[in-house]
Structure formats: C-alpha cells, structure tokens
Amino acid sequence: MSAPDILAIGRGSIVAPAGCGKTESIVRAVARNDGKPALVLTHTNAGVCALRSRMGRAKVATTKARVTTLDGWCLQLVSSYPELSGLRPDLSAIQYPALREAAIRAVSSGALDAILRASYSRVIVDEYQDCTSPQHRLVVALADRLPCCVLGDPLQRIFDWAGPLPDWDAEVLTTFPLVATLDDPWRWIAEGEEDFGRWILSIRGGLERGQGVDLTTAPVNLVWKKAVDEEQQKSAEAEAMAELAGLAPSTALIVGSSLDAASRVEFAKTYDGVQVVERADMPELAAAADKIGSEKELKRVIEVLRFARTVMSGIDKAFVDRLNDLASGREAPAEDSERIFLMARHGATFGNLARMLECWHKTPGWFVYRPDLLNVMMDGMRRTAEDGDLKASVLEVREAKRSKGRHIPALGIGSTLLLKGLEAERVIILDAGSMNACNAYVALSRASRSVTVISKNPVIGLV
C-alpha cells in the first residue's frame, strides 16, 4: 500500500518492515510540515545523523523539525526544569533510568503543556520497537498533549537487553492504533531486485509464528552453505569471501556473532579489506589510553605497540623482533616504519606516538582493520599535552565523533545490533543457526542484492 500521510495521523502507529520506505515517509512529512517544528525522536546518535542527512539531501529546512534522541530530549528537558522533574542530572555520570522517570514526571505534571504546544506541531517517533517501557510511558504522555505517530517493526526488536519493553500488541497498538503496514520493498525495487524484496517480506509471517524461515524457498539471490563443524565453517567462510571478491560489490556487510566480539575482530584480521563496525562506546579504547597515558618513555612506546597490534596488520612477531634489534643498536633502520619507531623511542611524546601510528597506518602492505579505534586514539594523542590526560582526551574525541554518526566501512563486519539500520549490496551471515527470529530477519534484510547464509540447517530463526 502507499505510505499514509503522517501529518494526518492524530494518534497512531505505522508498522514499517525493513527497506519499505519508513525514513522517506518521515522526511516527506517533515518537508510538508508548516508552522512549528515537528519533534522527531529516535534512539541513537547514528539514527539522528541518518535522519538529518536524508532531510539535508531532500533540502528540508532545518526549522521544520527538531531531530534528537529520546534520551537527549529527556536530558535537555530535565536540565531545564530540575524542580519540576525532581532531578538535577550529573552530566559526568548520567543515570538514564532516573532521567527518564524525571522526564515523565515533568511532562505528566501538565505544567509544561502550553510550552510543549507552543514549541512543537507534533511528535514523530522512529524505531519504536526499541522503546523501553519508561520511554513508552514518556511518549504516551507527549501523545496526550500533541498529535503523535510512532513508526517501528516488532520483528526488528533486538534491543531487548536495554530494559523491559512494552508488549507490542497489548500496550503499543492499544495506545497507538495501527494505521498501516508498509509493504512496498523500495530498497530492492531500487536495485532491480523486487522479487528478492518480496521474498524478504514473505518470510515475516513464519518468523512471527515461531516457524523460522526455510532458506530453500529463497530466490537465487540467497546462497546457503551448510557447515556442521568448525572445519566446514571455516571452509564455507573462505568460499563466501572468495565469491564476494569475485562480485566486487561497492558495499558489503558480514554479520558475525552477537555474543563473541573477539571472533568478529579475528575474522577482520584474517581477511584483508574487512573492517570492524565498532560499538559506539568503544570499550577497549579507554583501557588502552589509560595504560599508554600512565607510562613514560620506552614503556609508553611498548603500550602503543600493543595497542597497534590490536587494530592493524603488519605488526607481527618478525616486525617486533626487528624493532628489538633496532632498539639494541644491532641493526640500522631501513624503512620509514622503523625510523619513526626510533624517533618515538627517544622522544615518547604523545605527538610523536601519533606520528608513529600514522606512519604505520600508511605502510604499504599493512591494513587497518579497526580504523575507528586507531583514528580516535591518534586524535586524542594529538590534542594531549605531555602532562595532560590522554584518556580524557580520547574519550572527548570519541564522544565528538559519536555525535556525528558512525563510520561505516565499504566491507564491514559487526553483529546484528551494530548493523541494524544499515544496508549493503551483498551480505554474508556467518552463524545464522544461532539467531532467533528477530536477529535472522534483521540479518537477511540488510542485503539489497544477495545474501550468503552459513548454518547447519536450512531453517533458521528458531532459537
């Protein structure tokens, strides 16, 4: 069906399967919104950046919408009205559960009704399946005061670790009556692969009923590779990567284990060209910066070397042995990567260490498979004085980059959680047999042209 007019919805919901034009529907609604701006809420900074980017490409005036995260809007509201909300948030250690409850108190009090109505024409909430129960209560409070349309897909509900979620049928749809379910697979139509897109839509019913999806019913766009043990798994992965290289796609995503981040990093180390799609908080980064910043002279250089080995190829045992020979004076440097090491060893300032990492980054034949970690570390080093706090600088850079949205590599590996909302021409799913219905649907629907699935059995999504 054609997308409904969001501006005509006083209070309701739209179920929006992957690739069926949800973001475009929001952009078109905002473009036609006159007068006061619409309040457009989503869950992540990456989602905010994606919406703003699409609005920018469509030349939508920024005055037509206030686009922010739910938690970001809560923080601004509570900070502006601490007495009314009953909370003065500590910006250095934000307690999000308390923040959400405080925002609910402020909106539900009724004291802000006139301000809200004077500020916004309506509320539009994206990715509603990811709302926690407190966030749902907040949106309900807003909907009691302003026209409100929520858009989401219960089959993409994979953020259930964030806290209790409202029951979709008993709580979401009773509060926001279903207006429409989008069913035109625009992502695949744009690629000339409408049949593939229709099949992706057709598997939703079986997944929702707990029957899984039978990969043998798929069109030629899907290739299933059987792997019943580790040897067959490795062989199937190598075959899939070789086939991917032959297709030479402009974009490709590899869906790895959701539980084993180390296995995703190891895959990127194994196959040249693959880069890791990182978590927004980059948990390894703070620990590495803390270790580097706490050391001096040679010990600091050694910590940087250890960090570099976790983000790029080329720093193998032979190279480390070579550096030891250079440090002892037994050998003379022959390459730039060696000369820069000696410079840093004799002057282990953060600036010199950043230059060393940058030189190694550019060394022919070496490959950076975790560019986000490397770039944030180098930027943090460049802005840190010798007596400064490297960890604080690195975290500051991380947060600045986080607010601008994620870097998505042309050939990236991540979990379904990290890849949700992205799309690529080609997709490889490494461990499909371990996926539940929602994760299987999210993984399969990332591909606009073809997908390779590795699993023990051809029926997946039953976990």
Side-chain angles (χ1 to χ4, degrees), residues 198-209:
R198 295 286 176 196
W199 180 79
I200 294 287
L201 282 173
S202 75
I203 66 177
R204 292 175 59 85
L207 288 168
E208 289 169 336
R209 292 188 296 271

Side-chain angles (χ1 to χ4, degrees), residues 263-282:
S263 70
R264 302 196 300 267
V265 174
E266 190 61 33
F267 191 94
K269 289 171 65 175
T270 302
Y271 293 97
D272 285 348
V274 180
Q275 295 182 325
V276 177
V277 178
E278 303 286 355
R279 281 173 44 176
D281 59 347
M282 303 181 194

Side-chain angles (χ1 to χ4, degrees), residues 188-338:
W188 296 275
I189 291 172
E191 293 286 343
E193 300 290 353
E194 183 172 355
D195 288 347
F196 185 33
R198 295 286 176 196
W199 180 79
I200 294 287
L201 282 173
S202 75
I203 66 177
R204 292 175 59 85
L207 288 168
E208 289 169 336
R209 292 188 296 271
Q211 298 169 345
V213 54
D214 185 349
L215 302 178
T216 63
T217 68
V220 295
N221 307 74
L222 187 147
V223 174
W224 173 56
K225 294 184 181 294
K226 184 175 183 178
V228 299
D229 54 33
E230 185 174 353
E231 182 179 354
Q232 289 187 3
Q233 178 73 27
K234 296 300 181 186
S235 176
E237 291 173 358
E239 286 179 6
M241 290 301 293
E243 291 163 2
L244 184 67
L247 293 170
S250 60
T251 57
L253 292 173
I254 299 157
V255 185
S257 169
S258 292
L259 301 177
D260 187 0
S263 70
R264 302 196 300 267
V265 174
E266 190 61 33
F267 191 94
K269 289 171 65 175
T270 302
Y271 293 97
D272 285 348
V274 180
Q275 295 182 325
V276 177
V277 178
E278 303 286 355
R279 281 173 44 176
D281 59 347
M282 303 181 194
E284 304 99 323
L285 196 61
D290 195 35
K291 288 180 180 178
I292 294 168
S294 65
E295 297 293 357
K296 301 290 184 181
E297 301 175 348
L298 180 59
K299 288 185 177 180
R300 179 182 287 176
V301 178
I302 291 172
E303 288 299 333
V304 174
L305 182 64
R306 287 174 176 159
F307 168 75
R309 292 184 74 170
T310 69
V311 299
M312 67 177 76
S313 66
I315 306 180
D316 52 16
K317 184 178 183 302
F319 181 70
V320 173
D321 289 345
R322 171 71 175 161
L323 295 185
N324 285 329
D325 288 341
L326 293 172
S328 67
R330 291 191 296 270
E331 299 283 349
E335 305 290 341
D336 288 344
S337 60
E338 299 169 352

Side-chain angles (χ1 to χ4, degrees), residues 121-136:
S121 62
R122 64 185 56 252
V123 179
I124 301 171
V125 188
D126 191 16
E127 302 288 1
Y128 205 75
Q129 74 278 350
D130 297 328
C131 275
T132 62
S133 291
Q135 289 172 328
H136 172 63

Side-chain angles (χ1 to χ4, degrees), residues 7 26 29-41 55 60-68 73 76 115-124 142 146-148:
L7 299 185
I26 294 173
V30 169
R32 293 186 297 104
N33 180 54
D34 292 325
K36 293 168 289 190
L39 176 61
V40 181
L41 300 172
M55 290 177 188
V60 177
T62 56
T63 56
K64 286 182 173 285
R66 164 84 193 285
V67 185
T68 186
W73 189 80
Q76 183 183 47
I115 294 173
L116 290 170
R117 290 174 184 139
S119 300
Y120 308 114
S121 62
R122 64 185 56 252
V123 179
I124 301 171
L142 286 170
L146 292 164
C148 183

Side-chain angles (χ1 to χ4, degrees), residues 77-89 102 105-106 109 111-112:
L77 181 78
V78 172
S79 298
S80 300
Y81 301 99
E83 290 83 8
L84 183 62
S85 64
L87 179 70
R88 292 184 181 275
R105 282 195 297 271
S109 72
L112 301 178

